[in-house]
Amino acid sequence: MQCNKAIELKKIFEAMVALLESEHQIIRSRDTDALATVTHEKETLAKQLELLGQQLIRELKLSDAIQNNTSKLLTLVDTYCSQDDQTLAQSLRKLSAKVQELNNRNGILLQSVMRINEQSLNILTGRSTKPMTYQSSGLLKSEQTISPTPLARA
């Protein structure tokens, strides 16, 4: 009964892995329109995952305390699937770890791109790229500009 949900869960994880691989290429190419689309698709898959977890909780009449926790959801699959379906449960664990790994990788790449964009904007607008610091009096040092004339206006 619940193992049908495990198969659905596997499909969602597989779709998420493919989407995260696509997102990585989109971030690298800096295609903001495509990134917005992928972000929407990720949100949709996350909602499907949450809904599936809620359905399992209702079917098994379990506490809401495990809701929104993927590892506990996978533990449910382990517990309620037959021994024959344990390979499916193992596959789900691997896919879950892959989704987490890819999402972390994409987050780091996105932060790097944002930092580069911010530095470029600071250079173009004539703002300092030095981090803000405090004077010995405890006051924030006034921002020094790179050049008196900005190269561009935002």
Side-chain angles (χ1 to χ4, degrees), residues 46-110:
K47 286 177 186 173
Q48 288 176 0
L49 184 61
E50 182 181 354
L51 233 129
L52 191 57
Q54 290 171 352
Q55 289 171 357
L56 270 172
I57 290 167
R58 275 194 303 276
E59 285 179 20
L60 299 172
K61 296 175 178 57
L62 297 172
S63 162
D64 287 341
I66 65 164
Q67 193 171 341
N68 297 328
N69 188 325
T70 304
S71 67
K72 288 184 180 177
L73 186 60
L74 294 174
T75 302
L76 279 178
V77 172
D78 283 344
T79 305
Y80 292 96
C81 286
S82 69
Q83 192 62 29
D84 296 336
D85 294 315
Q86 290 306 305
T87 54
L88 175 60
Q90 289 172 349
S91 175
L92 286 171
R93 287 193 181 284
K94 287 179 183 175
L95 282 168
S96 174
K98 181 77 172 172
V99 165
Q100 186 174 10
E101 173 192 328
L102 292 174
N103 196 49
N104 289 341
R105 177 195 66 179
N106 290 355
I108 291 167
L109 179 61
L110 192 56

Side-chain angles (χ1 to χ4, degrees), residues 9-31:
L9 186 61
K10 183 178 180 193
K11 289 178 183 178
I12 292 171
F13 278 141
E14 288 171 340
M16 188 67 89
V17 166
L19 194 59
L20 288 166
E21 290 289 359
S22 175
E23 180 186 50
H24 183 74
Q25 293 304 319
I26 289 169
I27 293 170
R28 291 183 70 196
S29 69
R30 297 182 184 189
D31 183 349

Side-chain angles (χ1 to χ4, degrees), residues 130-136 138-142:
K130 295 179 184 175
M132 295 178 130
T133 58
Y134 289 93
Q135 299 172 349
S136 60
L139 297 175
L140 191 62
K141 282 187 180 179
S142 61

